[in-house]
Amino acid sequence: MAHCVHVGRPTATWQEAVVAGAPDGVLLVDGAGRIRAMNPAAEQIFGMTAEDAAGRSVQAFVPERMRERHAGLMMDFFATAFSPRGMQDRAPVAAVRADGREFMAEIALIPVGVGEERMVACIVRDVTEQLQMQAAAARAERLESLRVLSAGLAHDFNNILTAISGNAEFGIALTDEGSPLRMALEDIREAGRRAAEMVRQMLRFAGGGELAREPVDLAAAAKETLHLVRGALGNGVTATTDLPETPVVVMADPVGIRQVLMNLIINASEAMAEGGGTLTVRVGHQRVTRAYLDRCRQRTCFGCADAQPGAYACLEVADTGVGMDAATLERIFEPFFSTKFQGRGLGLAAVLGVVVGHRGAVHVESETGKGTTFRVLLPLTCEG
């Protein structure tokens, strides 16, 4: 059986030494699809020693849903390939570690001869973190573009609404009580007020609204907001709290904080509208490290790229509802994106605007059928 030897063995050739010390994983696979050797990097990537992997089918490192197709591709490669197939020739593919966790890998295939036997050297590079970072950067860039667009649109709409509302008020002052014209003008004024509220939400998402700064106890605000919306919670929804006995105070805009709480609680309730469930609101302190921010940024975190390590107040709103798939999770903070039939898609956009305006971050964890958790981090010392 062939072996990838470790650097430093006196009998190792320079080729063996290079393979042993390579940062990418190297697997030697025979014509039957069995693993004949692995280098140390492959052991680390797949979480299995070369001794344990020897003789196993390479299919053990392929997700089950892809194994049939992989077997066909492997047979085709052995039958037809006589030159290397580089990583640049194919997109990253899903692979699986020994503990069952999937990751994304770039793979190069190199036909090699070992004695009289024809084998394939599989070069494996774990690009999961790289792809997550790219996705996070693209998401941040997309949201920044939407913020700029929203700010411009909001200001333009505001100018138009000022003219509409002003003329409606002027007309109302000139008409008699009970007049059909007055009633129509009052409808126009009310529509203008609602439109103005939408503009304010757009400005919050864009970071263009003014934020007041005063001490806000998150625990007290959470308790108060939950009390106010209890009547609006869906049937079968049970609300619970995990709040500290001592205040958790941030320098923040109290109106913005109430808006964050209101939107997250109502959203959580609506996610459980059909079958009921448990809604949990938690408040506490959290020491945030750079490593934590980097890990969150690779997942679904908004604002983590600009947040700084330090002491934070943590607000969590969790539900046991329908959850979200990855595609929905990518877009939830975009203005006018909504999964609700009558939703305007501005609530979560406003939440993000408020949090980022306080130099905070929102980390979202969700899985279809298993609920969602929004974790809002607000720095305990918030500068303007």
Side-chain angles (χ1 to χ4, degrees), residues 142-290:
R142 184 173 67 250
L143 284 172
E144 183 58 32
S145 297
L146 286 170
R147 272 198 285 270
V148 173
L149 176 63
S150 295
L153 289 174
H155 286 298
D156 289 343
F157 285 158
N158 204 43
N159 292 335
I160 295 170
L161 287 171
T162 298
I164 292 172
S165 300
N167 280 289
E169 291 285 0
F170 181 69
I172 289 169
L174 297 178
T175 54
D176 298 328
E177 288 280 353
S179 164
L181 179 58
R182 185 186 182 100
M183 293 174 62
L185 289 168
E186 287 175 345
D187 286 344
I188 292 172
R189 180 176 64 183
E190 180 58 28
R193 286 175 179 170
R194 293 182 182 182
E197 175 56 32
M198 291 182 65
V199 168
R200 281 191 289 273
Q201 288 183 313
M202 289 174 65
L203 282 171
R204 284 203 179 278
F205 168 74
E210 290 295 325
L211 294 175
R213 303 291 185 182
E214 61 182 75
V216 177
D217 178 4
L218 280 185
K223 188 182 299 183
E224 176 188 345
T225 304
L226 197 54
H227 178 75
L228 288 174
V229 302
R230 276 188 185 276
L233 300 182
N235 292 331
V237 174
T238 301
T240 64
T241 59
D242 182 5
L243 305 176
E245 296 181 1
T246 57
V248 177
V249 179
V250 292
M251 291 298 294
D253 175 14
V255 174
I257 295 301
R258 282 196 292 272
Q259 187 176 22
V260 168
L261 282 160
M262 189 82 70
N263 276 298
L264 292 182
I265 291 171
I266 293 297
N267 270 16
S269 174
E270 291 176 346
M272 300 181 287
E274 294 184 4
T278 302
L279 183 158
T280 306
V281 180
R282 299 185 183 90
V283 172
H285 292 93
Q286 182 170 338
R287 172 63 60 174
V288 173
T289 64
R290 173 54 60 192

Side-chain angles (χ1 to χ4, degrees), residues 3-7 9 11-13 16-21 38-40:
H3 293 281
C4 293
V5 300
H6 292 269
V7 175
R9 290 182 180 176
T11 58
T13 66
E16 291 172 327
V18 168
V19 170
M38 289 172 61
N39 73 341

Side-chain angles (χ1 to χ4, degrees), residues 142 300 302 323-334 337-339 348 366 368:
R142 184 173 67 250
T300 308
F302 301 82
M324 294 176 280
D325 59 25
T328 301
L329 202 55
E330 281 288 317
R331 301 190 60 193
I332 54 173
F333 289 109
E334 294 181 11
F337 174 78
S338 177
T339 58
L348 289 178
S366 187
T368 303

Side-chain angles (χ1 to χ4, degrees), residues 23-42:
D24 294 330
V26 181
L27 291 82
L28 188 63
V29 180
D30 65 21
R34 295 186 301 270
I35 298 169
R36 299 288 291 273
M38 289 172 61
N39 73 341

